[in-house]
Amino acid sequence: MIDAAMFMDIEEIKRLKSRYFYHLDHKEWDGWRENVFCRDASMHVPEALSEPIVGIDNILSFLIPLLDGVLTVHHGHMPDIQSSRRRRLAVSGRWKTCSSGPRDGAPMALRGAVQGYGHYHETYSRESGGWRIKTLRLSRILAPVPLLARVP
């Protein structure tokens, strides 16, 4: 059974994920650093990287050049947020996602969009500024292969 405090935590985590998508699609990387991720967060996208990237500065060092100038549209749906009895010590969530971006960097109207579908698997940590993403693993059901390759 969910008590009022856990309900509020779930709502805060939903807002956290909303900030994740907003800052990602607007390329507002300081927002990720200050309002989304723990400093020691890890990110793992298995089809793009063999090992997780650890630390928000390392995550941003990888993503900023990859996504510089690329229009993206990310959606997160149907969150399933779980907590252990020792609330706030073990909170995890799974989000259904779809994302799109232009093929070969061309405007979508000219070349069409690349779309990917899958799930975010995350854990969260409550810090002085509120909930933050501690670990993130993206599992894809459907995406261009390899993920980072240009689509003809």
Side-chain angles (χ1 to χ4, degrees):
M1 176 159 245
I2 296 177
D3 64 11
M6 186 58 201
F7 179 78
M8 292 302 295
D9 289 342
I10 289 171
E11 289 303 309
E12 287 179 34
I13 290 169
K14 288 178 183 178
R15 287 192 299 274
L16 167 67
K17 194 63 179 181
S18 178
R19 288 192 306 270
Y20 168 92
F21 289 125
Y22 181 88
H23 292 310
L24 173 59
D25 288 337
H26 288 88
K27 312 304 182 265
E28 294 176 358
W29 304 117
D30 286 340
W32 263 25
R33 181 180 284 111
E34 297 166 13
N35 302 309
V36 175
F37 283 95
C38 297
R39 295 185 72 72
D40 63 346
S42 69
M43 177 182 282
H44 192 202
V45 183
E47 70 271 16
L49 302 164
S50 60
E51 296 294 324
I53 302 171
V54 178
I56 185 59
D57 292 330
N58 293 327
I59 291 168
L60 293 176
S61 292
F62 173 75
L63 284 178
I64 290 171
L66 183 69
L67 296 177
D68 184 41
V70 177
L71 172 67
T72 58
V73 179
H74 288 81
H75 295 258
H77 308 278
M78 303 171 64
D80 181 11
I81 300 168
Q82 303 291 321
S83 175
S84 73
R85 290 203 183 270
R86 289 184 271 161
R87 193 170 60 77
R88 297 185 179 181
L89 295 180
V91 178
S92 62
R94 182 179 59 234
W95 297 78
K96 182 177 281 298
T97 185
C98 65
S99 58
S100 62
R103 296 177 188 249
D104 277 340
M108 283 191 255
L110 299 177
R111 301 279 316 272
V114 174
Q115 293 186 313
Y117 303 92
H119 294 90
Y120 283 95
H121 307 266
E122 299 173 336
T123 62
Y124 309 98
S125 178
R126 190 176 229 349
E127 298 187 344
S128 61
W131 286 102
R132 299 292 183 261
I133 296 172
K134 178 75 170 176
T135 64
L136 180 154
R137 181 176 58 84
L138 179 57
S139 63
R140 298 282 188 161
I141 296 169
L142 179 63
V145 178
L147 182 62
L148 302 179
R150 296 281 187 195
V151 177

